[in-house]
Every structure is written in C-alpha cells, then in structure tokens.
Amino acid sequence: MSNLDSLNSPRGACYSIREQLLLLDNELRVEAASCAYFEGFNVTSEQTLHRRLHHIGKGQWNIPALLERLKELPLGDGSFADFDVEGDFPGLGRRNMLLGARRIPGGGAEPGAILLGIEDVTDRRRMRVELVEQRAWFETTLTSISDAVIVTNTKARINYMNPTAQLLTGWTQEQALGAPLAEVFNIVDEKLRQPVESPVDKAIREGAIVGLANHTVLIARDGSHMLIDDSAAPIRDKAGGLIGVVMVFHNVTHERRAKHQLEISEVRYRRLFETAHDGILILDAQSAQVLDVNKFLQHLLGYPASFFMGKELWEIGIFEDAERCKAVVAELQRTGSIRYENLPLQDQAGRQIPVEFVSNVYREGDHNVIQCNIRDITERKIAGDEIRRMKDAAEDANRAKSEFLANMSHEIRTPMTAILGFSDMMLQPHQDPIDRADCVQTVRRNALHLLELINDILDLSKIEAGKMAVERISCDVALLLSDLISLMRPRALEKRLAFNVRFDSPMPHCIKTDPTRLRQILVNLVGNALKFTTAGSIELRISVEGEGAGNILCVEVIDSGIGIAPENFDRLFQPFIQGEESTTRKFGGTGLGLTISQQLAKLLGGDIQVTSELGVGSTFTLRIDGGSFAGAETLTNLNDKMLTRCAPMDKWRDIPIKGRILLVEDGIDNQRLLSAHLRNSGADVVIAENGQVAVDLMATNPFDLVLMDMQMPVMDGYTATAELRRRGFTMPVIALTAYAMEEDRKKCMASGCTDYLSKPINRDLLLNTVSRCMAEAPQSKRRESSSASWEPSGGRAPGSIDAPRVTQAGDSIKSNLSGRSTMKDLIAEFVEGLPVRVAALIDSLRSNDFTALQRVLHQLRGAGGGFGFDPVTEPAGTAEQAIIDSGGLQVITDNVNRLIHTIRQIEGYDQSKEQPTLAAST
C-alpha cells in the first residue's frame, strides 16, 4: 500500500499501478480499478465499474463492518489498514485478503474519493504457518534428544540451546541468546586444565565437520565439572554459504567412570587369575579347548603355558580319554557346573597329585566359556588322615576314661564300704573304747585314701588346663625323705616286703624345688612299687648328678614286682590307663598316679624314666632340677637311720587366742557357733549382723581382727571390707563364705581380705588361721585386749566341734555333735528355731521374694553343717545356687521342698510350730 502515497491522479493511477486497487466514491461505487485487480480476480470492467462495493462479485465484500468503516472515514487524510477478509472468491477458491483504505482530499468541502487496496496474503500466511510448524518440529526434535545442542551464528554467538544444553551448562536459553559461545560453553583440557578451542570455532574456521573430541572438561555456570565428548558441523544456505554452526555434546562422566571401573576390574581379574592359589583353566565351551591357563597350574604340573593352549582336558591328564572328556563337557553344558573330589592329576615328573576339580559355565560376550578351578588337596588329605587318627585316639581315650570311671567306682566304693561299715559299728551302744578307737583309725585311713583320689583328679585337671603352679624354694632333703620313709615303710612291712634306702653320693642338706610336689611324686612312685610287689623288696637309691648350677637330684625306686612288658611302656604315662587291663582288675587303682607324677616332674625341670622286665621287677628313675648346691651344707655317708624324724603334730592341741575380734555374720546359728570356738580359745568377740553395722562399730571401737561373712543383707562383706580399708583399717580381715572356688577366693582378696575360709568352718582351721593372722599383724598396731569380755548379742557362746558326721536312726536325723556336752544346748536351740526358718522358706517362695529366700537358704547352708546336720547343707546350697543362676521356679521349688523334707526329719523338730497356712506340700 506504500505506492498510494505517490499517486497524484487517482483515476489514472489505478490503471498503471501493479497492486490491486479500487477507487470508490462517497456512495462506495467503484469509479476505477487497477489492471492488477481485474487480473487478480478475473473480472471485467462491466462486472466492476459503477457498481456499489457490496454488489460486485458474489457479495464477497458485503461485509457490514468493512462498509461501515469505509463510510466513516474522516475527511482529509482518514485511513485504516490491515482489515482481514476471508472468503470464497470465484475462480480463486478460499482466500485471505488484507484490505487498506484512505480518503483522497477533494475540492472544497466535498469529501474526496476512497482508495481501497486489496492484497492476497493467502500464500504468505500459509508459508508462515508452515514455517512456524517446521520451527516447532525442529525445536521439539532438539528438545527430545538426550544430547545437548547449541546453534550459533557465524560469529559464534548463541541462537539456540536445547534443554539438555541448558542443564549441562547451567545457562537458560533467555540468558544465553546472543551471548558469545565462550561465555556459556567453557571447556578445558582434562589433564592440563587449560582452555581449549571449541569445536564451533574450529568448524567456522575450517568450514568442515569437527569430530568428537576426547579429554575435554566442561565447567558449568555453578563451577561444577563434567567430562564431555563434543562435535560441531557448519550450517549452509541453498547457495552453500555459511550461516551458522550446530554443536552437539554429551556428558560422558559416568561412561568414563564405568570404563575406568571396567579397566580396574579387568586388572583385578587378571591379578587374581595370575596369583590365585588354585589352578585355573579357561576353555571354549564348544570345543573344550584351553584358551587360558594361570601360573599356579603351570607351576603345579611343571609345564609352560604353551603346553596347555589349544588342548582338551584329557590331553593334559585330567580325564582318561577324549570320550570321557566329551561326556563331562556335555554334562557341564547341561547342568552348568560339575565337581569332582580327589581326582588324580599327573605332573611332568609323573607324580600323582590329588586335586579337587570344580567347573562352571559362564557367558563372555556372545559365547560361553568354561572355567575350571583345580585345587591341590594333598595337605587336606594329610590333615584328614590326621583327623581320623586323632578321632581314633580320642575314641581310645574315651574308652580309657570309661574304664577309668569303672575303676574309680571300684576305688571309691571300697573305702566307702569301710567308712560306712565302721561308722555304723561306732554307733553300737556299749562298744569297747579300744574297738571304737580302732574303728576311728580305719575310717580315717579310708577317708585319707578317698582324699588322695580326689586330689589326683584335681591335679590332673589343673595340669591339663595349664594351671598347675610349682614353687622353687629351699627344701630340706633329709626331712622330706624321712617323712617319706616313715609313711611307706609300715606299708611295706604289712606286706612282708623289705624296704631299703641307699645313698649313692653325698647329699646337699637343702635343694631348690617344690617340696610338696616332690613328695607327691615320690609317694606315687613308692606306692606303685608297693602295690605291684607281692614278694621281695622295695629299694630307694638317692644320688646327685652334675656340678655347679645344674645339679640334678636322682631318685630310683626299684621293686621286685610283676614287671611291665615293653609294649606297654607307652601306656604307662597316659591318663586313666594302666599297663594292661588285667592289672586294673587284679591290683586296682585309677591309672592317674604316673601321669600326674611325670607331668609334675617336667614342671620341676626333670622327667621320669622306666626300665622293667616282666616277672622280675621295675625301676622308675626320677630326675629333677635341684638348683645350685654352691655353699650348701653337704651330708656324707647317709643312711635311713641317720635321717631326722618329724615329730608328729598334736592335731587336737589347744590354740590360745588373745585379742578382740569382730565377727560379722548375719546367720544367728553361725554367730553362736563361731563365737563359741573363739571364746573357748580366749578371744573377746563382738558380733555385727551385717556389713553396715560392722563399719559403724569400727568407727568407735578398736579390734585386732575381723571375721567377715561375704554374703549379707544391707551391706555385703565385699563392700564392707573395701570400706574398712578405705577408712584406714590395717588389721587382718578373714573372709567367711560358702563359696569355695578359686574365683571366689580371688574376689575376696581383691576386696581387701587378708585370708579366706570356706563354710562349713572347721574349728581347728578357723583357730589356726586366726592365730596365724594375728601373729603376723605388726605388733605396733595390735592393741592389748581388755580383760573384760564384750558380750555379743547372739546369746551364749558355743563350744568346740569336730569334723561333722551325721548319723541316722530310722527316719530321724541326728547331729553327729549330740554326744558333746558343750554342744547339746546349742543344738537344741538350733533345732527349736528351725520351724520359723521353714515357715520363712515357704512364705518367701510363695510370695516370689527370692531375695529373702536366698538369705534364709544361705544361713542354713552355713549353719546346718556347723551344728552337725550335714544333710541340710547340700540341698540349701543347691537351692541358693539355682536362684543365683536363675535356674527357674520349678528347680528352686523342688530343691526348697527337698530341704524342708530333710529338716522335718531332724530329731526334735516340731512341725506343729510351723504356721499352718504356709505348710508346704512336700
């Protein structure tokens, strides 16, 4: 429509202008039209001129809004533009026309004509729509691809970025449009971290496609780094001119990392393959031919890698022949894995190697492979044979222990028969005092034999657990041998055997060893000689071997007994075993003595050796390290008559005690019993019923010694002892406890106790221990005891007691101390108080008050044996331990009921004094 401004004569100009124009008067009649109009609409002048606008054609211009706007055009330079008309035009079809109008100034006051311009914009609009659609398709395509795309002009300024490019660079398209590429796409070399030329710059410079670049790092807008691969290609117009560049790049950080991990995995696999302690073969699954072999298998069989490559399994000696190999591979392909144990494999030297063969099928790329693991099991077979040997030995040892138990049963029952029988004889009324004394000696002798059996078992247990400790102190050889001779010679005389002692060299008066363990060894050796000798003699030959610091004491025990067959020598020092089974049946014994003796001899730095001839006799030779004899007194020309005899100790002698003693004990019976022992020996005794009372008393009263029960209410003995030590009490504290294990002794000592006594307390042991501890206490810290005795709150003091022995007459249990005048009243009072204790047991059990129940059980455990009622101690201790071990209500109930049943059988017990509502069903 711009050409309208140049028209001077509207009517004439319409014919010459190439645009479609109509000249309208004020009535909107067509006064003139351009040739372009007639041609464009394919109409004639007759069909157009002098007709009103809304009548020409087929009424396409009969548009009220158009007509209204044309009529209302202002005078002068009134105009409008871009009036859109869409309709069907004859011969043209559906078309879009864009109209513009302008009033031409007329003469005077008359309005001028209207020049109407018509432009067919149908094709232009279609092209625009197609262009928009193509751009949308293009952008959709670029948006949907996973690679980042940036389009630049020839100046390397950004025209377009797809979302992936925006995500990787951190720039939005709005921020990046028109910006130089270098600002948005900041790349550096991966290793040097120096800027590198972008592929866009290179594509512009070279006018060619730039391929992928490696080792490039993109620095995003937020400073984060990523590895990328990128490429760029020039964009050209139809004439081949460069109009821009498209760049494509993508993040390869994860790919590179995965590739790096794959490379690491391959290196690791190769390293494991080459350093594995199994032979490894890799086979082709179809041909079963070797593809790879590791160094271990090469070394195992003594062949280089070339020997294996391309061969089948049967060709390298794993299977017998090709058919067997094919069958194995077929099975492997079917099942995926096979395993063979103890497969023989021959090496280059012809040696048969037992191997374990495990094979599996794996997928590698587009084909299957077979991996064969071949393990040398030579050591495993040796170990298996050793395990079987050990199993056989263990079974032999088990049989030996079974035999030992049978022997032990015999060994225990024999003295027990004598003990029970002679104990019953002692209970017979009007027995002669001489016969009674003989019964006592018999009981004592058999009890000592039982004690020896128990000690042997305990010693063996300690030795096997590595807990047997020996001393190295000065030992009087003459005194020890004198004791041994005085013990063994009477036994030899009983069997009518000669007992001779001979010294083959001068003897040191003292050696350095453990006298207790040395005596134990010699008693065992001489006892064995006496046991297996029925006629002839026993001889001891003593000598010293060596000089200086390495002197050896040598003792030979020579007998004329049954002798030992050479094939049985190895059995002599095994536990639970004697030379042969018939020996056990004929002579008895546990088979422990020689085992313990040899182990003790080794602990003393020596050994025991044996020589023997069947039917003639045996010689057992003991050698131990006696330490240095330098400066020691030497005894010459010794014989057994010259040895010093040990004076027998008066076991029942009085032990006077002077001093003030604090007895801390919660059990009333134990208070009375122990205080009686102490007072009868001359001590002043004050009683405290728990640890707190003891601590309070100690704050205001001086004492020379404390006897401390360790299990008490309010404050136990461990806490009380520790508190006394913390407050500065330095005098002896002796622990009293019903627990007699080594761990309990250590626990008492750790709390600050000086010594330890286990319940039931033996009267002589108690007095000896108290006397010794008071004597060892510094005299400067001892206070002189007051002549006035402090009366304890526990009643009158009991007298002394013997070791407890309980007898039964019918169903009634009597105290073994009932014959002692000093104990009768105390026993009666103890029995009188038992119904109250039984009621307390029942009440505590029914109310589940296990704290109170344990306290009563603990008191009965200690007091029962002390008053001669030993059957009370065992069930009370078992029930208390069940509470400590959380053994369950039924176990506790059963043991408490057993205890109550036992108590009710005690002579003089009055069950009617129990509370009727609390009677237990026993």
Side-chain angles (χ1 to χ4, degrees), residues 403 407 532 562-572 576-589 591 614-615:
E403 295 172 4
N407 297 338
F532 298 113
I562 61 174
I564 306 165
E567 61 269 19
N568 292 326
F569 279 8
D570 292 339
R571 296 166 51 89
L572 287 176
F576 315 116
I577 299 176
Q578 292 187 345
E580 54 179 334
E581 294 181 5
S582 61
T583 302
T584 303
R585 291 192 297 268
K586 184 175 182 180
F587 294 96
L614 200 61

Side-chain angles (χ1 to χ4, degrees), residues 234-263:
I235 304 174
R236 300 184 183 277
D237 57 17
K238 291 182 180 180
L242 183 68
I243 60 175
V245 176
V246 58
M247 179 178 64
V248 180
F249 61 97
H250 60 277
N251 185 356
V252 296
T253 303
H254 296 301
E255 295 175 16
R256 293 279 296 279
R257 188 174 296 149
K259 182 180 178 182
H260 181 63
Q261 290 299 323
L262 179 60
E263 291 172 351

Side-chain angles (χ1 to χ4, degrees), residues 31 47 257 341 344 386 486 593 629 722 775 856 916:
E31 293 185 358
Q47 293 173 323
R257 188 174 296 149
E341 182 77 22
E386 179 65 16
S486 63
F629 297 164
V856 178

